[in-house]
């Protein structure tokens, strides 16, 4: 019953299933209906058993297991993207059931797949920010700052999220500085009233 589910369902209702395989189509149907448990079960089913077993036993060794799987498949990027999508599906399934510890767990594993992926790291950072887990957020932001070749919008997203972190830590000068820098990357020039309002918020 949240606006997020409504917006997601509306967007997905326009999706053309013609180019999707059966599992992807079922996943979209589950997401539209808010069936989190079914999403988790299906995503875990389509991840290869060796990888799923490794994740459940020891998250720290996931990267090594992925490397071995990629060598066997000789399709590193394609396989990693596939696995990342399934991990996101699992996280979204747990999000629908309000199991936020599990959401964070799978988003962290997904982010660890590729430290150079801004999108993976940003999804995790956004979740941590929403959950007000600011001590964990700082480490993710520091990792994201190491990523090279960010677009202007990505720089803006990073700085805006960092501004929220500084605000939570009562570092208001740093928060405002990061916020204004983010607007520069977004190509925006707010009036002082808009700035004051958004910083206060």
């Amino acid at each position: 019953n949240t606006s997020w589910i409504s917006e997601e369902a509306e967007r997905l209702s326009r999706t053309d299933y013609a180019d999707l395989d059966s599992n992807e189509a079922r996943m979209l149907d589950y997401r539209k209906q808010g069936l989190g448990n079914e999403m988790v079960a299906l995503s875990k089913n389509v991840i290869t058993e060796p990888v799923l077993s490794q994740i459940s036993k020891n998250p720290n060794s996931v990267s090594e297991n992925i490397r071995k799987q990629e060598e066997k498949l000789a399709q590193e990027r394609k396989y990693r993207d596939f696995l990342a999508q399934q991990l996101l599906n699992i996280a979204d399934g747990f999000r629908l059931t309000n199991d936020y510890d599990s959401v964070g767990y799978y988003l962290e594993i997904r982010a660890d797949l590729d430290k150079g992926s801004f999108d993976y790291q940003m999804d995790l950072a956004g979740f941590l920010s929403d959950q007000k887990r600011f001590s964990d957020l700082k480490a993710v932001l520091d990792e994201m700052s190491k990523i090279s070749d960010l677009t202007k919008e990505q720089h803006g997203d990073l700085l805006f999220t960092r501004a929220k972190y500084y605000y939570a830590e009562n570092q208001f000068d740093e928060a405002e500085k990061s916020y204004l820098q983010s607007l520069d990357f977004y190509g925006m020039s707010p009036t002082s009233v808009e700035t004051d309002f958004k910083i206060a918020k």
Side-chain angles (χ1 to χ4, degrees):
N1 296 324
T2 67
S3 60
W4 177 82
I5 292 177
S6 298
E7 292 168 2
E8 191 74 353
E10 196 279 329
R11 181 180 69 80
L12 293 169
S13 68
R14 301 192 303 271
T15 300
D16 182 0
Y17 288 179
D19 296 325
L20 300 179
D21 67 25
S22 59
N23 283 330
E24 289 178 292
R26 288 167 61 195
M27 186 64 65
L28 290 171
D29 284 333
Y30 288 153
R31 191 190 299 274
K32 285 196 294 184
Q33 297 175 58
L35 300 177
N37 291 329
E38 286 79 358
M39 285 180 64
V40 171
L42 178 58
S43 289
K44 287 185 175 182
N45 184 56
V46 298
I47 293 178
T48 59
E49 187 58 35
V51 172
L52 182 61
S53 175
Q54 197 74 7
I55 290 173
S56 62
K57 289 178 181 177
N58 183 4
N60 295 327
S61 62
V62 169
S63 296
E64 176 61 19
N65 186 269
I66 292 169
R67 186 187 64 77
K68 293 177 181 178
Q69 291 290 328
E70 289 173 338
E71 288 176 353
K72 292 179 182 178
L73 295 173
Q75 297 181 30
E76 293 188 12
R77 189 70 257 171
K78 181 178 179 181
Y79 182 72
R80 182 172 293 174
D81 288 346
F82 164 79
L83 180 57
Q85 182 58 51
Q86 300 313 316
L87 291 170
L88 180 61
N89 288 336
I90 294 174
D92 286 348
F94 282 120
R95 196 191 305 267
L96 293 175
T97 61
N98 298 319
D99 183 353
Y100 295 111
D101 286 340
S102 294
V103 173
Y105 174 76
Y106 283 98
L107 287 180
E108 287 174 14
I109 292 177
R110 179 172 179 258
D112 285 341
L113 294 181
D114 188 351
K115 294 292 187 181
S117 170
F118 180 85
D119 291 339
Y120 297 177
Q121 305 295 336
M122 192 66 219
D123 284 345
L124 176 58
F127 168 78
L128 295 173
S129 178
D130 291 344
Q131 293 293 305
K132 303 188 187 309
R133 301 182 183 182
F134 294 108
S135 59
D136 296 329
L137 176 61
K138 184 180 186 304
V140 177
L141 292 174
D142 290 343
E143 194 69 39
M144 291 171 68
S145 66
K146 301 175 185 176
I147 301 175
S148 59
D149 301 325
L150 295 183
T151 66
K152 285 189 174 183
E153 185 172 349
Q154 288 173 335
H155 272 294
D157 290 344
L158 176 57
L159 286 163
F160 186 78
T161 306
R162 191 176 291 280
K164 290 193 285 187
Y165 164 76
Y166 283 133
Y167 183 80
E169 295 294 310
N170 297 323
Q171 300 180 43
F172 301 119
D173 289 342
E174 290 297 324
E176 184 170 17
K177 178 181 176 182
S178 290
Y179 173 72
L180 292 175
Q181 286 177 337
S182 75
L183 295 183
D184 285 340
F185 279 106
Y186 289 145
M188 299 170 61
S189 299
T191 65
S192 60
V193 174
E194 290 174 329
T195 302
D196 291 343
F197 171 75
K198 290 182 180 179
I199 287 293
K201 185 179 181 181

